[in-house]
Amino acid sequence: MGGEATQLPRIDFSGVDPSAPGAGPWAAVRAQVMDALTTFGCFGAHYPPLTPELRASLFDGAVRPLFSLPVETKRRNYYGPDKPFHGYLGGLPGLDAYESLAIIDGPKPEPVRAFADLMWPGGGNAGFW
C-alpha cells in the first residue's frame, strides 16, 4: 500500500481460521492489517461467515446497547494506567465520535460475562453475552 494509497483497503479474512492463529493465510492477512492500520488507521473487512443476519444481531443486540450506556458506566472498564488501551477509550480531542471498549480475554466466556456484569450490574445483559 505505501504512502500513495488513496482508497481504504478491503481485507479478505475468509481463509483465516480464528481458532488457529498463525495457520494458513494468517501471516499474510496480518501483514495486510498492519499495513492498513499504519497507513489509514482502519480498513474494511470481508469475512463471509459474518452474514448480514449475524452482523445485525451483533450490532442491534450487543454493540448499540453497550455504546448507548453513559460515559461514567463505560469508564468502569479500566485496567489501570499500565494498560491505557485495554479499557474504555473515548472523549479524545479531535476524535469526538470515537469510543472503544476492550475486554481482556474476550474470546473466553467468563471475562465477557464479567464485563457484562460490570456494564450492567445486577444480572448483566444476557443479550450481550
Side-chain angles (χ1 to χ4, degrees), residues 13 31 38 42 46-48 55 71 73 76 81 96 102 115 122-123 127:
F13 287 82
T38 301
C42 61
H46 174 70
Y47 187 62
R55 184 182 184 283
V71 170
T73 301
R76 292 182 202 152
D96 300 331
F115 175 82

Side-chain angles (χ1 to χ4, degrees), residues 79-106:
Y79 293 93
D82 57 324
K83 296 184 179 180
F85 302 109
H86 285 77
Y88 171 73
L89 191 59
L92 302 171
L95 296 172
D96 300 331
Y98 179 84
E99 287 186 299
S100 69
L101 286 151
I103 303 172
I104 304 278
D105 288 329

Side-chain angles (χ1 to χ4, degrees), residues 50-94:
L50 185 61
T51 64
E53 295 79 20
L54 179 56
R55 184 182 184 283
S57 72
L58 287 170
F59 281 96
D60 295 339
V63 176
R64 287 188 205 281
L66 177 61
F67 283 97
S68 295
L69 291 169
V71 170
E72 299 78 34
T73 301
K74 293 180 274 193
R75 284 190 180 137
R76 292 182 202 152
N77 186 36
Y78 181 69
Y79 293 93
D82 57 324
K83 296 184 179 180
F85 302 109
H86 285 77
Y88 171 73
L89 191 59
L92 302 171

